[in-house]
Amino acid sequence: MTDTISRDVTAAAPAATTKSARTPDVTRRRISVPHLLLIPAIAILLIGMGYPLVWQIVTSMQEFGIQQQFGKPADFVGLQNYLTLATDPTMWQVVGRSLLFCFITAALTLIVGILLAVLMTAVGRTARLTLQISLLLAWAMPVVAAMTVWIWLFDDRRGVVNYLLDMIPGVDMNRFSWLSNPLTFFIVASVIVIWMSVPFVAFSAYAGLTQVSDEVLEAAQLDGANGAKRLRYIILPMIRPVIMIVLLLQLIWDLRVFTQITMLQDAGSKAGEFDLLGTYIYKLGAGSQDFGMASAVSIFVLALTLAISWFYVRSLLKEDEQP
Amino acid sequence: MTTTVALRTRRLRPGRIVLTILAFAIALAWVFPVYWMLNSSLLPNRTLQSFIPTFVPFGGSFANYANALEDGSFYSALGISLSVTLIAVFFCLLFAFLAAVAISRFRFKGRKTFVVAVLLVQMLPAEGLFIAQYKMVSSVGLLNSVIGISIIYIAAVVPFTVWMLRGFVAGIPADLEEAAMVDGLSRTQAFMRITFPLLAPGLVASGVFAFLQAWNEFTVALVLLPAEQMHTLPLWLRGFIQASATRETDWGQVMAASTLVAVPVIVFFLIVQGRMTSGLVSGAVKG
């Protein structure tokens, strides 16, 4: 016991001493303390994420039909499910719709969020605090509660949105049913997601903006740079790292909008043209019991997420390396 | 001093007045859905049926809340949500704390692999795994059970909690422990008496964060808790919207139910908000 403790002391010290601490015979004799500390976390991740992931990879290469619902083991079909997906026009429509929704929503969220952050720096204390509190309240709303409120706001007959739009001269929005047409359905979904995500972007960008030094801005002003030029050439380049990370997070988050789309479908229509990747997988798996195809689509979603996440993880690791 | 002068001169410009008005208008628009939830929850259904919205709840009552609570399903959902969330938060904090100590106090083989794995797993969307988790949980007979979903929640929340706690542990200088050890404490004693108390705020913040994640979760709960008597609060709330397909929605009651679900979350959220933002983008903000 004593020797484990003393070894840990050296291990905690700067990297120079690590080498001697990790002599081969010590590692071989027993599991080292840090590895011991990681066991519970790794175990739960393997059970809750690892096993399902492996099951999913295996299942994505199996064929599920009507016989499997009665207990017959599924046949191994290799990459057949992926080929079926690649040639399936429905799949491409869902993928295209999801990506389009994700990019447009993330881009708009970012633009609105940055503009609000700039606005916070430009106004007085009272106005800024009011804006911040209002954004915080929107951010704090649980997704499901936010969805019920927005569905009520967009209600075709008694919703406030239609009431207010109807007051504009020349616009007839009385009883306009937002959720029955795919385009307006996704516009509503996008508005809701933007409403929920802008606060995070605005606060992050504002935190970045407060780091931009006043001296630099004043110097630029003296040199004749107007507001737009200062934003374009000084402020934006300086907060670029924050913007990049926030953009990546938004892209990832806007791919997982299952809750929002499911709730909107509850209030509107469950037809296929209202599906994004999440609800598509749900219908394949929980609805049609086609676990092979559902797994193949899931793997596709995971791969897509990991591809985007990689950049995010890389930038966070940079911070980890220089504590 | 100079900044105040600069601010004062700027405030005189008409552009600034326009911006201030704009800021107030945006604040009003952004908070409106939250206000509307409260407003509608206080109004009788007769008023809500009108085609002209009522913007201020004069003469409102808590009748909608009584109606929403009437059949007792709220308390059942509250109980399920509480048990699932508390189990998940407890184990998540314990596991994440141990892992955070490992990665911030030790340099060892496989450390970087673990950190990368944690960060990547944290990004995985629930909808990319939930069919597999459903099959796994149902194959061991834990569908519609608190244990089954708690296991998935712990796994889902552990990664971010590890990352968040790592920051807190790393923020407490190891010198403090070493000084205590020079004074005769063992390493474990030094950690428990010096570092652990300093970590308390970090543990609270991470715990609240884990709580919010599990409390608001919808996607996994939908597939793992299909039986109505096992519904968590988000699923319970969704039931109101689902019912709207077959009958006229009692919006006052739905908004009262939403308020009941939202208010505790909003309170908790405001406690940890600042730390959460910095946890997600800390590397970038520091430059």
Side-chain angles (χ1 to χ4, degrees), chain B residues 83-189:
Chain B
S83 20
V84 170
T85 308
L86 293 180
I87 294 175
V89 169
F90 176 78
F91 286 102
C92 173
L93 270 187
L94 180 67
F95 296 172
F97 169 69
L98 296 176
V101 170
I103 60 171
S104 53
R105 279 288 190 261
F106 296 92
R107 292 285 172 273
F108 55 92
K109 206 174 165 201
R111 180 183 171 277
K112 190 164 178 184
T113 318
F114 178 78
V115 173
V116 172
V118 156
L119 288 173
L120 282 178
V121 167
Q122 169 205 331
M123 288 294 131
L124 296 182
E127 46 263 68
L129 276 170
F130 68 164
I131 296 297
Q133 287 163 338
Y134 165 79
K135 285 298 273 184
M136 178 182 86
V137 169
S138 68
S139 72
V140 290
L142 288 176
L143 224 51
N144 286 320
S145 82
V146 169
I147 299 172
I149 194 163
S150 300
I151 291 172
I152 303 297
Y153 278 4
I154 300 168
V157 187
V158 151
F160 185 78
T161 316
V162 170
W163 185 249
M164 199 167 162
L165 277 175
R166 178 211 69 102
F168 288 112
V169 180
I172 297 164
D175 303 2
L176 285 179
E177 277 170 55
E178 274 152 32
M181 287 191 291
V182 170
D183 290 346
L185 293 181
S186 76
R187 180 175 175 79
T188 319
Q189 280 173 323

Side-chain angles (χ1 to χ4, degrees), chain A residues 308-320:
Chain A
I308 306 174
S309 313
W310 180 244
F311 297 97
Y312 171 67
V313 171
R314 222 177 39 181
S315 58
L316 283 185
L317 277 180
K318 261 187 243 151
E319 184 216 1
D320 184 55

